[in-house]
Amino acid sequence: MVSLTDTASYTRGRRRPLLRLGNFGLTLPALLLIIVFFVLPVLALLVRSVTEPVFGLGNYAELLGSATYLKIFFNTFVVSGVVTIVSLAIGFPVAWTLAIMPSRLASIVFAILLLSMWTNLLARTYAWMVLLQRTGLINKTLIALGLIDKPLPLVNNLTGVTIGMTYIMLPFIIIPLYGVIRKIDPAILQAAALCGATRWQALTRILIPLAAPGMISGALMVFVMSLGYFVTPALLGGTANMMLAELIAQFVQSLVNWGMGGAAALVLLVVTLTLYAIQLKLFGTAGAGGR
């Protein structure tokens, strides 16, 4: 005789494959979009990078063996690293302040932050061009304060690129940090203070380790986005301080050299995936923005 428990277990056993099939069906549209608009174009680039103008790895050898191209790689990674570090140094106290201030005031500041992020990128970059030029507000202010005697070269170089990109990337590191810091119980810091911990000890031994997942995910996002940034480096850096995204655009648009453009794009993709894999290996899904 079959019991009710056995019948229920049998029914659940038959439903599980259907449930799994249903979940897969829900993800199918997203998978198709990724395949059509990401995987296939990347494969096409890979094919063209080893077949144009001739079959082989000549494009990669030329790209990695040229001092000019290596300088562009150097510029890209150095600027991306500096932007990430500075964004983290500025974004952490901002996220902490947002987390501890009254919720209504935090909502207003957060709205201003989002508004600046949603403002057109070209408008923000041109605004920085005006501010950073030799007769701009920053140089005039520094001269008026007596800090400098003559205008600083803040535009058409990597300094201007770093300043502009740091401003643009700040929301992308503040938002994940704010989400993590907000979940930290303030009682932990109060308990540390009662136990004799100094502010520095509470920061370095409690707050930063607890906020590490948000710091890692935000830093990785900023670094990867900086590697492929185009508009701001092109406008603030000038032709003498090219970065990798500009090089790819020049290969494809000006030189119509899809082989070299594909090779450069795939090098950038490999670096990005390597960094992501290292992050997953060291910190797991928590560092990737998961729980």
Side-chain angles (χ1 to χ4, degrees):
M1 182 177 181
V2 180
S3 66
L4 290 176
T5 305
D6 294 338
T7 304
S9 300
Y10 176 74
T11 304
R12 284 197 298 272
R14 292 197 60 178
R15 283 180 178 174
R16 280 174 187 158
L18 294 176
L19 185 61
R20 284 196 291 268
L21 185 61
N23 291 337
F24 178 75
L26 292 175
T27 61
L28 193 58
L31 289 175
L32 287 175
L33 283 175
I34 292 173
I35 291 172
V36 172
F37 293 107
F38 177 72
V39 176
L40 292 180
V42 169
L43 289 177
L45 273 179
L46 175 61
V47 171
R48 298 186 80 160
S49 70
V50 295
T51 57
E52 295 184 12
V54 294
F55 183 81
L57 300 177
N59 290 324
Y60 293 94
E62 183 179 349
L63 193 67
L64 301 177
S66 167
T68 303
Y69 296 146
L70 288 179
K71 182 187 176 186
I72 293 173
F73 277 101
F74 179 78
N75 288 344
T76 304
F77 286 101
V78 168
V79 170
S80 300
V82 172
V83 167
T84 303
I85 294 171
V86 176
S87 298
L88 194 59
I90 298 174
F92 190 91
V94 173
W96 169 250
T97 306
L98 279 171
I100 61 173
M101 69 172 46
S103 58
R104 180 170 295 182
L105 184 58
S107 300
I108 296 173
V109 177
F110 212 77
I112 296 172
L113 186 70
L114 292 176
L115 188 63
S116 70
M117 189 172 67
W118 293 336
T119 304
N120 185 273
L121 178 61
L122 271 176
R124 284 183 286 167
T125 304
Y126 280 123
W128 274 110
M129 289 181 69
V130 174
L131 290 173
L132 294 174
Q133 60 187 338
R134 297 181 69 85
T135 57
L137 178 63
I138 294 177
N139 270 319
K140 283 184 177 178
T141 303
L142 293 176
I143 292 174
L145 293 174
L147 299 176
I148 55 175
D149 298 326
K150 57 182 180 180
L152 296 174
L154 297 177
V155 74
N156 291 327
N157 51 39
L158 292 180
T159 303
V161 174
T162 304
I163 294 172
M165 286 182 62
T166 300
Y167 162 75
I168 291 167
M169 292 295 172
L170 267 177
F172 296 99
I173 207 163
I174 291 174
I175 292 173
L177 266 174
Y178 171 73
V180 173
I181 292 176
R182 195 180 178 190
K183 295 177 182 176
I184 299 175
D185 189 352
I188 298 176
L189 299 176
Q190 294 174 0
L194 290 174
C195 292
T198 62
R199 290 186 177 182
W200 177 251
Q201 289 173 329
L203 173 68
T204 56
R205 297 187 182 184
I206 298 174
L207 188 57
I208 289 179
L210 290 176
M215 295 171 64
I216 295 166
S217 59
L220 182 68
M221 189 190 312
V222 168
F223 186 77
V224 169
M225 290 176 65
S226 300
L227 287 178
Y229 233 67
F230 174 73
V231 174
T232 305
L235 293 178
L236 293 177
T239 55
N241 302 287
M242 189 178 289
M243 290 178 64
L244 191 52
E246 299 172 72
L247 179 66
I248 295 171
Q250 191 176 72
F251 276 138
V252 175
Q253 294 177 353
S254 303
L255 304 177
V256 198
N257 188 341
W258 281 92
M260 289 294 288
L266 283 171
V267 169
L268 183 61
L269 179 63
V270 169
V271 171
T272 303
L273 293 178
T274 303
L275 289 172
Y276 186 67
I278 292 173
Q279 185 203 24
L280 288 179
K281 181 71 175 177
L282 294 178
F283 304 103
T285 55
R291 291 182 178 181

